[in-house]
Amino acid sequence: MQFILIAFLVLLAFVGIIYLFNILAVLSGVPLLSFLGFTKTITSDPSTVAQVFDGVINVYKVLAVFMTLLFSMIYLYYNFKISEVKKTKKLERTLAERKELEAMVAIPQETKKWQKIMEHVSSANPSDWRLCILEADVLLDQLLSSLGYEGDGIAEKLKKAKRSDFSTLDSAWEAHKIRNAIAHEGSDFAINQQEARRVINLFQSVFLEFKFI
């Protein structure tokens, strides 16, 4: 783009020099080759001089219009490119801020499940109270596996735990036994919301000990 501007400026200067020589030739009466519409016979006649000046003015008018259009197009082009760059940077900044915000507010999967459990235990539906205990027991199984306890079920994993390493072991056992009763009896298992909250608190004490939620 800079090369084009320089080329047009050189052309403009070249045309100006040619017309300057033509003017001098007319004023001095020295013959000069015609250029850009000038007649071959050049005299110092006033009308001819006037024609020369008119030609110079007309050419510079055309060049002025052309250069104005050229610079306007360049101006619009660079404004467009600058606008695009700003939009791109703004989008990149927005995405970066969004990722940072998502990283800050990211909630572990276990915590999300626990929040769902707390919603169920706060429900007015007795079936939700039983469901939240079953869901909490699933989280207990995941916790035990993450701690390295192996076995076919939660009971086998709990048997391998030691109270010296597991201060809430009794709470885990009690909560799991109630879960088993619900699993066996289903909707026939009688439970009120207060009891459901008590069992959920047993699970919660285990999870908090190991910072699982």
Side-chain angles (χ1 to χ4, degrees):
M1 189 63 67
Q2 291 179 348
F3 174 78
I4 297 176
L5 290 176
I6 294 173
F8 275 107
L9 289 175
V10 171
L11 176 61
L12 183 63
F14 177 74
V15 173
I17 291 172
I18 293 297
Y19 273 103
L20 177 61
F21 276 108
N22 274 282
I23 293 170
L24 293 175
V26 171
L27 294 176
S28 63
V30 178
L32 187 68
L33 293 176
S34 62
F35 185 77
L36 297 179
F38 282 90
T39 59
K40 292 183 179 181
T41 303
I42 302 176
T43 66
S44 58
D45 183 80
S47 63
T48 305
V49 175
Q51 291 176 4
V52 171
F53 278 107
D54 288 341
V56 172
I57 293 173
N58 289 333
V59 170
Y60 272 94
K61 282 182 179 179
V62 173
L63 289 175
V65 172
F66 179 79
M67 294 302 291
T68 301
L69 292 175
L70 176 64
F71 281 112
S72 297
M73 291 175 63
I74 294 173
Y75 175 78
L76 293 174
Y77 172 77
Y78 275 103
N79 267 1
F80 173 75
K81 295 299 292 184
I82 291 172
S83 177
E84 288 296 311
V85 170
K86 287 182 178 179
K87 287 181 180 179
T88 301
K89 289 184 177 180
K90 183 177 180 181
L91 179 60
E92 291 176 351
R93 185 166 58 252
T94 302
L95 292 175
E97 291 175 353
R98 183 179 299 176
K99 288 182 180 179
E100 183 178 352
L101 181 62
E102 289 176 353
M104 292 175 61
V105 301
I107 301 176
Q109 193 66 24
E110 292 77 12
T111 303
K112 291 181 180 180
K113 292 179 180 179
W114 182 254
Q115 290 175 347
K116 197 68 176 178
I117 290 170
M118 295 305 295
E119 290 177 7
H120 287 158
V121 77
S122 300
S123 170
N125 191 345
S127 63
D128 287 338
W129 305 338
R130 289 185 286 268
L131 177 61
C132 70
I133 293 175
L134 297 175
E135 292 174 337
D137 197 66
V138 173
L139 281 183
L140 177 60
D141 188 30
Q142 294 177 4
L143 169 63
L144 295 173
S145 296
S146 67
L147 294 174
Y149 297 109
E150 298 179 354
D152 292 335
I154 293 179
E156 288 191 15
K157 294 176 183 179
L158 289 175
K159 289 177 182 178
K160 297 178 180 179
K162 297 180 180 179
R163 284 183 172 77
S164 58
D165 302 324
F166 204 136
S167 62
T168 55
L169 183 60
D170 290 339
S171 296
W173 269 115
E174 183 179 357
H176 179 61
K177 288 178 180 178
I178 295 175
R179 175 269 172 195
N180 285 343
I182 294 174
H184 294 153
E185 299 180 27
S187 59
D188 293 333
F189 184 84
I191 188 173
N192 55 39
Q193 191 172 36
Q194 183 178 358
E195 175 64 9
R197 290 183 184 276
R198 186 187 74 82
V199 177
I200 291 301
N201 286 337
L202 293 175
F203 281 111
Q204 185 177 36
S205 64
V206 178
F207 299 150
L208 290 177
E209 179 184 357
F210 297 99
K211 296 180 175 59
F212 192 62
I213 57 174

